mmCIF file of all heavy atoms in Angstrom:
data_model
loop_
_atom_site.group_PDB
_atom_site.id
_atom_site.type_symbol
_atom_site.label_atom_id
_atom_site.label_comp_id
_atom_site.label_asym_id
_atom_site.label_seq_id
_atom_site.Cartn_x
_atom_site.Cartn_y
_atom_site.Cartn_z
ATOM 1 N N GLU A 133 116.653 117.013 140.775
ATOM 2 C CA GLU A 133 116.398 117.852 141.926
ATOM 3 C C GLU A 133 117.675 118.208 142.658
ATOM 4 O O GLU A 133 117.890 119.331 143.105
ATOM 5 C CB GLU A 133 115.405 117.174 142.871
ATOM 6 C CG GLU A 133 114.047 117.067 142.354
ATOM 7 C CD GLU A 133 113.048 116.349 143.262
ATOM 8 O OE1 GLU A 133 113.564 115.600 144.144
ATOM 9 O OE2 GLU A 133 111.827 116.527 143.132
ATOM 10 N N ASP A 134 118.568 117.242 142.795
ATOM 11 C CA ASP A 134 119.863 117.486 143.446
ATOM 12 C C ASP A 134 120.705 118.523 142.705
ATOM 13 O O ASP A 134 121.319 119.376 143.323
ATOM 14 C CB ASP A 134 120.661 116.190 143.589
ATOM 15 C CG ASP A 134 120.053 115.228 144.579
ATOM 16 O OD1 ASP A 134 119.199 115.648 145.394
ATOM 17 O OD2 ASP A 134 120.445 114.031 144.572
ATOM 18 N N LEU A 135 120.692 118.444 141.372
ATOM 19 C CA LEU A 135 121.422 119.419 140.579
ATOM 20 C C LEU A 135 120.807 120.803 140.726
ATOM 21 O O LEU A 135 121.527 121.807 140.866
ATOM 22 C CB LEU A 135 121.394 119.019 139.133
ATOM 23 C CG LEU A 135 122.232 119.857 138.144
ATOM 24 C CD1 LEU A 135 123.704 119.942 138.557
ATOM 25 C CD2 LEU A 135 122.107 119.322 136.736
ATOM 26 N N GLU A 136 119.523 120.910 140.743
ATOM 27 C CA GLU A 136 118.816 122.220 140.954
ATOM 28 C C GLU A 136 119.165 122.797 142.322
ATOM 29 O O GLU A 136 119.382 124.011 142.467
ATOM 30 C CB GLU A 136 117.349 122.039 140.784
ATOM 31 C CG GLU A 136 116.916 121.775 139.349
ATOM 32 C CD GLU A 136 115.432 121.464 139.220
ATOM 33 O OE1 GLU A 136 114.730 121.550 140.229
ATOM 34 O OE2 GLU A 136 114.999 121.160 138.102
ATOM 35 N N GLU A 137 119.187 121.934 143.367
ATOM 36 C CA GLU A 137 119.509 122.434 144.700
ATOM 37 C C GLU A 137 120.962 122.934 144.762
ATOM 38 O O GLU A 137 121.226 123.979 145.380
ATOM 39 C CB GLU A 137 119.306 121.310 145.695
ATOM 40 C CG GLU A 137 117.868 120.991 146.005
ATOM 41 C CD GLU A 137 117.117 122.187 146.521
ATOM 42 O OE1 GLU A 137 117.684 122.861 147.439
ATOM 43 O OE2 GLU A 137 115.996 122.513 146.039
ATOM 44 N N ALA A 138 121.857 122.228 144.083
ATOM 45 C CA ALA A 138 123.274 122.699 144.070
ATOM 46 C C ALA A 138 123.362 124.045 143.381
ATOM 47 O O ALA A 138 124.198 124.935 143.838
ATOM 48 C CB ALA A 138 124.154 121.678 143.357
ATOM 49 N N ALA A 139 122.575 124.263 142.351
ATOM 50 C CA ALA A 139 122.589 125.555 141.639
ATOM 51 C C ALA A 139 121.998 126.657 142.511
ATOM 52 O O ALA A 139 122.492 127.798 142.519
ATOM 53 C CB ALA A 139 121.835 125.435 140.330
ATOM 54 N N LYS A 140 120.967 126.359 143.268
ATOM 55 C CA LYS A 140 120.321 127.346 144.097
ATOM 56 C C LYS A 140 121.279 127.953 145.145
ATOM 57 O O LYS A 140 121.166 129.113 145.488
ATOM 58 C CB LYS A 140 119.112 126.736 144.786
ATOM 59 C CG LYS A 140 117.860 126.572 143.864
ATOM 60 C CD LYS A 140 116.710 125.942 144.668
ATOM 61 C CE LYS A 140 115.506 125.728 143.752
ATOM 62 N NZ LYS A 140 114.386 125.067 144.485
ATOM 63 N N VAL A 141 122.168 127.079 145.627
ATOM 64 C CA VAL A 141 123.080 127.552 146.684
ATOM 65 C C VAL A 141 124.397 128.019 146.102
ATOM 66 O O VAL A 141 125.372 128.292 146.800
ATOM 67 C CB VAL A 141 123.319 126.490 147.742
ATOM 68 C CG1 VAL A 141 121.993 126.210 148.479
ATOM 69 C CG2 VAL A 141 123.892 125.238 147.159
ATOM 70 N N GLY A 142 124.474 128.085 144.768
ATOM 71 C CA GLY A 142 125.664 128.652 144.089
ATOM 72 C C GLY A 142 126.847 127.733 143.945
ATOM 73 O O GLY A 142 127.959 128.208 143.629
ATOM 74 N N LYS A 143 126.663 126.444 144.131
ATOM 75 C CA LYS A 143 127.790 125.493 143.993
ATOM 76 C C LYS A 143 128.176 125.317 142.564
ATOM 77 O O LYS A 143 129.359 125.146 142.181
ATOM 78 C CB LYS A 143 127.433 124.144 144.602
ATOM 79 C CG LYS A 143 127.298 124.171 146.118
ATOM 80 C CD LYS A 143 127.030 122.779 146.633
ATOM 81 C CE LYS A 143 126.922 122.775 148.167
ATOM 82 N NZ LYS A 143 126.665 121.420 148.710
ATOM 83 N N ILE A 144 127.189 125.265 141.648
ATOM 84 C CA ILE A 144 127.421 125.027 140.250
ATOM 85 C C ILE A 144 126.182 125.455 139.470
ATOM 86 O O ILE A 144 125.084 125.498 140.002
ATOM 87 C CB ILE A 144 127.743 123.539 139.924
ATOM 88 C CG1 ILE A 144 128.410 123.345 138.563
ATOM 89 C CG2 ILE A 144 126.480 122.681 140.094
ATOM 90 C CD1 ILE A 144 129.018 121.956 138.366
ATOM 91 N N GLU A 145 126.349 125.807 138.199
ATOM 92 C CA GLU A 145 125.234 126.077 137.313
ATOM 93 C C GLU A 145 124.856 124.837 136.518
ATOM 94 O O GLU A 145 125.654 123.889 136.410
ATOM 95 C CB GLU A 145 125.587 127.214 136.345
ATOM 96 C CG GLU A 145 125.994 128.517 137.010
ATOM 97 C CD GLU A 145 126.649 129.509 136.015
ATOM 98 O OE1 GLU A 145 126.784 129.177 134.843
ATOM 99 O OE2 GLU A 145 127.037 130.591 136.510
ATOM 100 N N TYR A 146 123.675 124.861 135.911
ATOM 101 C CA TYR A 146 123.326 123.743 135.036
ATOM 102 C C TYR A 146 122.575 124.294 133.801
ATOM 103 O O TYR A 146 121.961 125.354 133.821
ATOM 104 C CB TYR A 146 122.426 122.690 135.754
ATOM 105 C CG TYR A 146 121.042 123.163 136.080
ATOM 106 C CD1 TYR A 146 120.024 123.039 135.147
ATOM 107 C CD2 TYR A 146 120.745 123.774 137.298
ATOM 108 C CE1 TYR A 146 118.733 123.471 135.419
ATOM 109 C CE2 TYR A 146 119.455 124.211 137.613
ATOM 110 C CZ TYR A 146 118.452 124.091 136.642
ATOM 111 O OH TYR A 146 117.182 124.526 136.912
ATOM 112 N N THR A 147 122.605 123.496 132.749
ATOM 113 C CA THR A 147 121.722 123.661 131.593
ATOM 114 C C THR A 147 121.308 122.271 131.186
ATOM 115 O O THR A 147 122.135 121.368 131.043
ATOM 116 C CB THR A 147 122.427 124.358 130.416
ATOM 117 O OG1 THR A 147 122.943 125.654 130.821
ATOM 118 C CG2 THR A 147 121.460 124.579 129.252
ATOM 119 N N THR A 148 119.995 122.044 131.067
ATOM 120 C CA THR A 148 119.478 120.716 130.708
ATOM 121 C C THR A 148 118.702 120.786 129.393
ATOM 122 O O THR A 148 117.911 121.669 129.176
ATOM 123 C CB THR A 148 118.509 120.221 131.844
ATOM 124 O OG1 THR A 148 119.174 120.227 133.092
ATOM 125 C CG2 THR A 148 117.970 118.850 131.547
ATOM 126 N N LEU A 149 119.069 119.834 128.540
ATOM 127 C CA LEU A 149 118.393 119.712 127.229
ATOM 128 C C LEU A 149 117.460 118.521 127.279
ATOM 129 O O LEU A 149 117.878 117.408 127.612
ATOM 130 C CB LEU A 149 119.467 119.517 126.163
ATOM 131 C CG LEU A 149 119.057 119.889 124.739
ATOM 132 C CD1 LEU A 149 118.757 121.381 124.608
ATOM 133 C CD2 LEU A 149 120.165 119.457 123.731
ATOM 134 N N VAL A 150 116.193 118.764 126.944
ATOM 135 C CA VAL A 150 115.157 117.704 127.012
ATOM 136 C C VAL A 150 114.628 117.488 125.602
ATOM 137 O O VAL A 150 113.796 118.215 125.106
ATOM 138 C CB VAL A 150 114.005 118.189 127.932
ATOM 139 C CG1 VAL A 150 112.928 117.084 128.059
ATOM 140 C CG2 VAL A 150 114.558 118.555 129.336
ATOM 141 N N PRO A 151 115.093 116.436 124.929
ATOM 142 C CA PRO A 151 114.685 116.211 123.529
ATOM 143 C C PRO A 151 113.573 115.171 123.302
ATOM 144 O O PRO A 151 113.117 114.963 122.169
ATOM 145 C CB PRO A 151 115.974 115.646 122.882
ATOM 146 C CG PRO A 151 116.575 114.823 124.029
ATOM 147 C CD PRO A 151 116.193 115.553 125.292
ATOM 148 N N GLY A 152 113.080 114.532 124.392
ATOM 149 C CA GLY A 152 112.156 113.402 124.185
ATOM 150 C C GLY A 152 112.922 112.214 123.666
ATOM 151 O O GLY A 152 114.180 112.172 123.698
ATOM 152 N N PRO A 153 112.216 111.184 123.215
ATOM 153 C CA PRO A 153 112.891 109.952 122.709
ATOM 154 C C PRO A 153 113.694 110.241 121.451
ATOM 155 O O PRO A 153 113.335 111.112 120.655
ATOM 156 C CB PRO A 153 111.738 109.006 122.444
ATOM 157 C CG PRO A 153 110.567 109.867 122.184
ATOM 158 C CD PRO A 153 110.728 111.088 123.083
ATOM 159 N N PHE A 154 114.779 109.425 121.278
ATOM 160 C CA PHE A 154 115.546 109.546 120.024
ATOM 161 C C PHE A 154 114.809 108.734 118.981
ATOM 162 O O PHE A 154 114.870 107.492 118.929
ATOM 163 C CB PHE A 154 116.973 108.990 120.242
ATOM 164 C CG PHE A 154 117.792 109.819 121.175
ATOM 165 C CD1 PHE A 154 118.476 109.232 122.251
ATOM 166 C CD2 PHE A 154 117.912 111.174 121.045
ATOM 167 C CE1 PHE A 154 119.277 109.948 123.073
ATOM 168 C CE2 PHE A 154 118.663 111.929 121.898
ATOM 169 C CZ PHE A 154 119.343 111.333 122.910
ATOM 170 N N LEU A 155 114.185 109.442 118.020
ATOM 171 C CA LEU A 155 113.349 108.781 117.070
ATOM 172 C C LEU A 155 114.124 107.864 116.140
ATOM 173 O O LEU A 155 113.595 106.771 115.746
ATOM 174 C CB LEU A 155 112.567 109.814 116.258
ATOM 175 C CG LEU A 155 111.540 110.677 117.034
ATOM 176 C CD1 LEU A 155 110.916 111.678 116.122
ATOM 177 C CD2 LEU A 155 110.465 109.746 117.605
ATOM 178 N N ASP A 156 115.353 108.236 115.774
ATOM 179 C CA ASP A 156 116.097 107.397 114.853
ATOM 180 C C ASP A 156 116.484 106.052 115.534
ATOM 181 O O ASP A 156 116.837 105.102 114.801
ATOM 182 C CB ASP A 156 117.345 108.109 114.334
ATOM 183 C CG ASP A 156 118.084 108.937 115.368
ATOM 184 O OD1 ASP A 156 117.547 109.180 116.430
ATOM 185 O OD2 ASP A 156 119.198 109.338 115.064
ATOM 186 N N LEU A 157 116.506 105.974 116.826
ATOM 187 C CA LEU A 157 116.779 104.749 117.540
ATOM 188 C C LEU A 157 115.485 103.989 117.883
ATOM 189 O O LEU A 157 115.413 102.742 117.780
ATOM 190 C CB LEU A 157 117.577 105.032 118.782
ATOM 191 C CG LEU A 157 118.939 105.683 118.646
ATOM 192 C CD1 LEU A 157 119.586 105.820 120.020
ATOM 193 C CD2 LEU A 157 119.812 104.934 117.704
ATOM 194 N N CYS A 158 114.477 104.716 118.342
ATOM 195 C CA CYS A 158 113.302 104.080 118.874
ATOM 196 C C CYS A 158 112.337 103.466 117.877
ATOM 197 O O CYS A 158 111.638 102.475 118.161
ATOM 198 C CB CYS A 158 112.539 105.077 119.785
ATOM 199 S SG CYS A 158 113.406 105.522 121.300
ATOM 200 N N ILE A 159 112.254 104.102 116.676
ATOM 201 C CA ILE A 159 111.224 103.626 115.762
ATOM 202 C C ILE A 159 111.546 102.355 115.035
ATOM 203 O O ILE A 159 110.898 101.905 114.110
ATOM 204 C CB ILE A 159 110.842 104.730 114.743
ATOM 205 C CG1 ILE A 159 112.043 105.105 113.878
ATOM 206 C CG2 ILE A 159 110.236 105.941 115.427
ATOM 207 C CD1 ILE A 159 111.688 106.132 112.797
ATOM 208 N N GLY A 160 112.636 101.701 115.492
ATOM 209 C CA GLY A 160 112.936 100.328 115.029
ATOM 210 C C GLY A 160 112.291 99.340 115.973
ATOM 211 O O GLY A 160 111.147 99.539 116.447
ATOM 212 N N SER A 161 112.993 98.279 116.279
ATOM 213 C CA SER A 161 112.412 97.212 117.116
ATOM 214 C C SER A 161 112.139 97.632 118.511
ATOM 215 O O SER A 161 111.315 97.009 119.157
ATOM 216 C CB SER A 161 113.409 96.017 117.104
ATOM 217 O OG SER A 161 114.675 96.433 117.629
#
Side-chain angles (χ1 to χ4, degrees):
E133 289 179 341
D134 289 345
L135 184 57
E136 290 174 4
E137 286 301 314
K140 285 180 181 178
V141 296
K143 291 182 178 180
I144 197 168
E145 302 167 359
Y146 71 87
T147 303
T148 302
L149 201 65
V150 182
F154 293 131
L155 293 177
D156 42 345
L157 300 183
C158 291
I159 61 176
S161 58

